[in-house]
Amino acid sequence: MAMKPSTSVTAVAFFLFQLLILAAFNISFCNGSSYMGCIESEREALLGFKQDLYDPSNRLASWSADDRDCCTWAGIVCDNRTGHILELNLRNPFNYYIQTQHEANVRSVLVGNINPSLFHFEHLSYLDLSYNEFREVQIPRFLGSMVNLRYLNLSGSRLVGMVPQQLGNLSNLQYLDLSWNYLYVDNVWWLSGLSFLEHLDLSYVNLSKASDSLLAISRLPSLEKLRLSNCQLHHIPPLPIANFSSLTKLCLSQNQFDNSFPSWVFGLNHLVFLDLSYNNIQGPIPDGLQNLTSLTYLVLALNHFNSSIPNWLYRFNHLEYLCLCNNSLQGTISDAVGNLTSISWLDLSFNSLEGRIPSSMSRLCNLRSIILFNNKLNQQISEIFDIFSRCVSDGLEILSLANNSISGHLTENLGQFKNLDTLELSWNSISGSVPLSLGELSSLRLIDLDYNKLKGSLSQIHFANLTKLNYTGNAIQSSPLLIGSALSPLYTVVLSEEVSLMMKGKLDDYKNNLNLVRTVDLSDNMLSGEIPTEMTALRALQTLNLSHNSFTGRIPENIGVMRSLESLDLSANRFSGEIPESIVSLTFLNHLNLSNNTLTGKIPSSTQLQSFDASCFTGNDLCGRPLPKNCIEDNSSPEDKDGEGQGGEVDWFYVSMALGFVVGFWSIIGPLLVNRRWRHEYYHFLGRLGKKVASVCKKCS
């Protein structure tokens, strides 16, 4: 029997109404109207976790006992439906190993222990405690029971000891980073249980006792990214080519292999990132690498490759980053280098490459850094500027050609590199004057033109727009110029507030941007006079090198206010007087050289100063640790240094007084001790004397 039209319409309307209600419910749920708030037991566990931490920057200020909803606390992500904590992210925002260590790093770090209260977060899927300081703390075994974890990052947290095999129970783990700690393993087969693992970083974990570590790791079917840098893997075993079939990123740097290039790498067809630097690999660059045509990042630096650059390498048109530095590569740079159209970073420094920079490099429009220093290139600098003109000059940020055989004159074409950050042309044979177009490089932060044949003078126009400049070498110091009058404009850029420096007999005043300085290197000049006390206003300075000059006078007494100093070199000058006590306040100091001056007195006592080698203080008249010469302190009283007390002479007044006391005492007491009858007579005498004294006192009263 057919349904009546009216009934059919009603049924459809009712169905649509139900869908509308369900949709409205879902929308309200997604918008948080069904928000549960955190679980009380997990809130208490977070407070317990906080109790074991020292938090100098107050990063956990929101973790308050007065706030009932822990889901709103810093670093916490909850499940909106159940209220359970899913993510705990307490990563230190300052990374010690990537960024320059600074006081802010120390303030932001969390210090303490990993409290067992973490065990209560059974629903946790994301845990990041990286780059904090859990000093001399082992990885807790209970982490292996948090089976819902998909992301675990404990890198750079100063953890020690053996990696617990219980981590092999984290069968859902996709990301594991234990790098930059003080850890070791003696067996890695527990990793085979992590079948979903995609990212594994064990850099700086000692794997020397786990000789089959790579074989075990190669069994992970989902692994895409593997970092095993500095793991003491001195021997790389042969592996089946089929293994690591999903690998796209491989870093095996700093392992110092005792054999040749691991041939199984040639079969990793999906690899886009390969770093085998600092591994003592010898011979030619292996031809098997030409199979890895998907590479975008290739680093073979700090090995002993002694061939020419193979032509097949120039066919890697996906390559963006290529570093072959610190090898023994020979021959020339082929004109085929122009085929690397994706390249942005090219580093061929510290090799023995000869010839010229090919003109085909003008096609590398994505090039940002070209680093070729310490080779044997022989070319005119003006020709090089022409090659890097047009599209290359628009984006070039680093141009480093130091220590080659480059000659010729700097031309006004220098001004076309508007985005240049670093310009290094030192130790060449460049001649002529510095073009005024240097002043157009407003992005420039570092310029080094040392040890060339430049001449002429520098004016304010050269540096007027270089407001970002924070390092200059001993620019043009070997030229017959007038860093005093020729170098002084550099300081109108580099320094801020006001400083006076005696340079080659002339006192010059400098202003502008003093607080921005990070490095001052005036070594190997003929600078004289005293260090102005105003220089200590460079509170952000990290490196100060005034060595091999003729500075005189005392080291500034308030040098300790330059608390950011990491390197201080005042050697080979004529500084006199004592080392100021305030130097002990330079707690970031990791390099110090005060040798070969005329300093005197005791080396101030601090753990920092006494940790330096004795050679840092030799060539002076100093004493105290770390020097073998002990300081003899005069503990004698002032009276010992005046009058008759000096020179070992006898003071007869005190001698006669002592002698008189001894003679008088024994003249009276001696007979009484020896003669019994005298003792009785003496007692009777004292008795009669006492009665007379009492009688007199009674009459007087």
Side-chain angles (χ1 to χ4, degrees):
M1 179 177 178
M3 184 179 291
K4 295 181 180 181
S6 60
T7 305
S8 176
V9 172
T10 303
V12 172
F14 179 74
F15 178 71
L16 292 175
F17 179 71
Q18 287 182 319
L19 287 179
L20 184 62
I21 293 176
L22 181 61
F25 175 78
N26 287 335
I27 292 172
S28 66
F29 186 88
C30 294
N31 287 338
S33 61
S34 299
Y35 177 67
M36 295 290 297
C38 74
I39 307 299
E40 179 60 24
S41 61
E42 295 184 358
R43 175 181 169 277
E44 293 294 331
L46 286 176
L47 293 175
F49 182 77
K50 179 182 179 181
Q51 285 180 350
D52 267 4
L53 296 175
Y54 169 59
D55 181 17
S57 65
N58 215 16
R59 286 169 54 197
L60 304 182
S62 61
W63 292 32
S64 171
D66 298 329
D67 187 351
R68 309 304 301 179
D69 189 3
C70 63
C71 294
T72 63
W73 295 358
I76 304 298
V77 174
C78 294
D79 188 320
N80 286 338
R81 184 168 49 87
T82 65
H84 286 295
I85 294 176
L86 300 180
E87 296 186 13
L88 176 57
N89 186 353
L90 297 181
R91 179 186 180 95
N92 182 0
F94 291 93
N95 186 323
Y96 287 101
Y97 307 103
I98 297 178
Q99 302 180 15
T100 303
Q101 186 170 354
H102 188 265
E103 188 176 355
N105 297 48
V106 180
R107 288 199 305 267
S108 64
V109 74
L110 298 174
V111 182
N113 297 314
I114 301 177
N115 192 289
S117 63
L118 278 182
F119 181 77
H120 294 281
F121 305 125
E122 59 185 40
H123 296 272
L124 201 67
S125 62
Y126 186 105
L127 177 60
D128 192 339
L129 302 177
S130 58
Y131 299 103
N132 290 293
E133 291 190 12
F134 304 108
R135 298 176 181 174
E136 299 185 1
V137 174
Q138 294 185 337
I139 297 177
R141 294 181 180 179
F142 67 77
L143 290 181
S145 63
M146 305 174 71
V147 293
N148 286 310
L149 275 180
R150 289 178 171 81
Y151 182 102
L152 177 59
N153 190 345
L154 302 176
S155 61
S157 297
R158 301 202 178 193
L159 296 165
V160 300
M162 187 172 71
V163 178
Q165 297 186 15
Q166 286 79 358
L167 295 185
N169 298 329
L170 304 178
S171 57
N172 291 308
L173 207 60
Q174 298 174 356
Y175 186 107
L176 177 61
D177 190 344
L178 305 179
S179 63
W180 291 94
N181 285 294
Y182 306 95
L183 301 169
Y184 71 93
V185 297
D186 56 6
N187 187 326
V188 296
W189 283 101
W190 54 268
L191 281 168
S192 60
L194 310 182
S195 57
F196 293 108
L197 198 64
E198 299 175 358
H199 179 111
L200 176 62
D201 193 342
L202 299 180
S203 297
Y204 287 81
V205 176
N206 188 340
L207 300 178
S208 60
K209 295 183 179 179
S211 58
D212 54 356
S213 55
L214 268 173
L215 182 60
I217 294 172
S218 69
R219 304 287 178 89
L220 299 174
S222 302
L223 196 64
E224 297 179 1
K225 299 178 181 179
L226 175 63
R227 280 187 172 273
L228 299 176
S229 177
N230 201 349
C231 290
Q232 302 188 38
L233 291 170
H234 302 309
H235 177 70
I236 297 293
L239 295 174
I241 294 179
N243 290 8
F244 291 129
S245 58
S246 301
L247 208 62
T248 61
K249 186 173 184 178
L250 175 63
C251 178
L252 297 175
S253 63
Q254 301 182 58
N255 280 294
Q256 294 295 297
F257 299 148
D258 58 7
N259 55 8
S260 59
F261 204 100
S263 58
W264 50 266
V265 173
F266 304 151
L268 305 179
N269 296 326
H270 300 291
L271 212 60
V272 296
F273 181 109
L274 178 61
D275 186 350
L276 288 169
S277 61
Y278 202 10
N279 273 314
N280 199 33
I281 304 174
Q282 303 181 11
I285 296 176
D287 289 337
L289 284 177
Q290 64 183 305
N291 298 330
L292 310 182
T293 55
S294 298
L295 281 177
T296 62
Y297 186 106
L298 176 60
V299 179
L300 302 177
L302 289 156
N303 284 292
H304 298 287
F305 294 119
N306 55 12
S307 64
S308 59
I309 301 175
N311 284 329
W312 52 258
L313 185 58
Y314 299 123
R315 296 197 297 268
F316 281 31
N317 53 13
H318 296 296
L319 205 60
E320 299 175 7
Y321 189 108
L322 175 62
C323 181
L324 304 178
C325 64
N326 289 81
N327 281 287
S328 301
L329 296 174
Q330 305 169 5
T332 62
I333 302 174
S334 169
D335 195 60
V337 71
N339 296 327
L340 301 178
T341 52
S342 298
I343 200 78
S344 64
W345 180 287
L346 179 61
D347 188 347
L348 304 177
S349 60
F350 286 100
N351 282 291
S352 298
L353 298 172
E354 301 176 330
R356 307 156 72 84
I357 295 174
S359 59
S360 64
M361 277 197 176
S362 63
R363 302 199 300 266
L364 306 183
C365 297
N366 292 306
L367 196 62
R368 296 295 177 266
S369 301
I370 175 70
I371 304 173
L372 298 172
F373 61 79
N374 278 80
N375 278 288
K376 300 177 181 179
L377 300 176
N378 186 348
Q379 201 166 7
Q380 296 279 312
I381 187 63
S382 58
E383 183 181 347
I384 294 174
F385 284 172
D386 287 340
I387 293 172
F388 293 137
S389 61
R390 296 179 291 279
C391 72
V392 179
S393 64
D394 293 339
L396 198 64
E397 297 174 359
I398 297 177
L399 178 59
S400 182
L401 304 173
N403 201 9
N404 279 282
S405 297
I406 296 172
S407 58
H409 291 236
L410 290 172
T411 65
E412 294 297 337
N413 279 352
L414 177 62
Q416 67 186 316
F417 302 104
K418 303 297 184 183
N419 292 306
L420 203 62
D421 174 275
T422 299
L423 177 62
E424 293 182 303
L425 299 175
S426 60
W427 293 95
N428 281 292
S429 299
I430 301 172
S431 58
S433 59
V434 179
L436 293 177
S437 60
L438 175 66
E440 300 174 16
L441 308 183
S442 58
S443 297
L444 202 63
R445 291 192 305 158
L446 183 151
I447 179 173
D448 192 350
L449 304 177
D450 293 359
Y451 300 99
N452 278 287
K453 299 178 180 179
L454 297 167
K455 62 182 180 180
S457 61
L458 300 176
S459 69
Q460 185 70 27
I461 301 176
H462 285 96
F463 303 99
N465 297 319
L466 307 189
T467 56
K468 296 182 180 179
L469 194 67
N470 62 29
Y471 177 83
T472 62
N474 304 321
I476 327 169
Q477 68 167 16
S478 61
S479 305
L481 291 174
L482 298 177
I483 232 187
S485 60
L487 293 177
S488 60
L490 294 178
Y491 275 91
T492 66
V493 176
V494 177
L495 306 178
S496 120
E497 297 178 2
E498 184 168 352
V499 171
S500 298
L501 286 180
M502 181 69 73
M503 304 183 71
K504 300 181 181 179
K506 180 181 178 182
L507 186 67
D508 288 321
D509 294 329
Y510 305 108
K511 300 179 180 179
N512 242 352
N513 299 336
L514 188 65
N515 60 322
L516 300 178
V517 180
R518 295 295 181 270
T519 298
V520 170
D521 187 347
L522 298 174
S523 59
D524 294 286
N525 278 289
M526 295 184 290
L527 306 178
S528 59
E530 297 186 3
I531 298 179
T533 56
E534 292 90 345
M535 182 167 279
T536 59
L538 298 169
R539 303 295 176 86
L541 198 68
Q542 295 171 340
T543 299
L544 176 59
N545 189 350
L546 302 179
S547 62
H548 293 88
N549 281 289
S550 299
F551 284 110
T552 57
R554 302 175 68 93
I555 298 174
E557 288 294 331
N558 63 336
I559 195 170
V561 302
M562 304 172 73
R563 295 182 182 272
S564 296
L565 270 183
E566 298 175 7
S567 176
L568 175 62
D569 192 343
L570 304 179
S571 61
N573 279 286
R574 300 176 186 174
F575 293 112
S576 58
E578 297 182 344
I579 300 175
E581 283 290 336
S582 68
I583 201 171
V584 302
S585 300
L586 304 180
T587 54
F588 286 113
L589 206 61
N590 54 52
H591 173 78
L592 174 67
N593 194 348
L594 302 179
S595 63
N596 298 307
N597 282 285
T598 56
L599 299 169
T600 58
K602 182 181 179 182
I603 298 173
S605 298
S606 76
T607 305
Q608 189 85 356
L609 292 182
Q610 270 64 51
S611 67
F612 290 112
D613 190 81
S615 61
C616 301
F617 302 94
T618 56
N620 293 285
D621 190 16
L622 296 168
C623 61
R625 292 191 304 117
L627 293 175
K629 180 181 178 181
N630 293 324
C631 297
I632 302 175
E633 296 183 359
D634 190 353
N635 295 321
S636 58
S637 62
E639 290 81 8
D640 295 334
K641 300 179 181 179
D642 295 326
E644 297 178 353
Q646 294 183 358
E649 297 182 5
V650 179
D651 193 331
W652 291 105
F653 172 79
Y654 295 104
V655 173
S656 60
M657 185 173 66
L659 184 61
F661 174 81
V662 172
V663 173
F665 179 84
W666 287 107
S667 297
I668 298 175
I669 301 302
L672 295 178
L673 295 176
V674 176
N675 193 307
R676 183 178 180 184
R677 187 170 64 84
W678 282 23
R679 285 200 302 274
H680 284 291
E681 290 295 331
Y682 185 67
Y683 293 152
H684 287 305
F685 167 76
L686 292 179
R688 291 193 298 271
L689 181 60
K691 290 179 180 180
K692 289 183 179 181
V693 172
S695 177
V696 172
C697 291
K698 185 176 181 180
K699 290 179 181 180
C700 292
S701 62

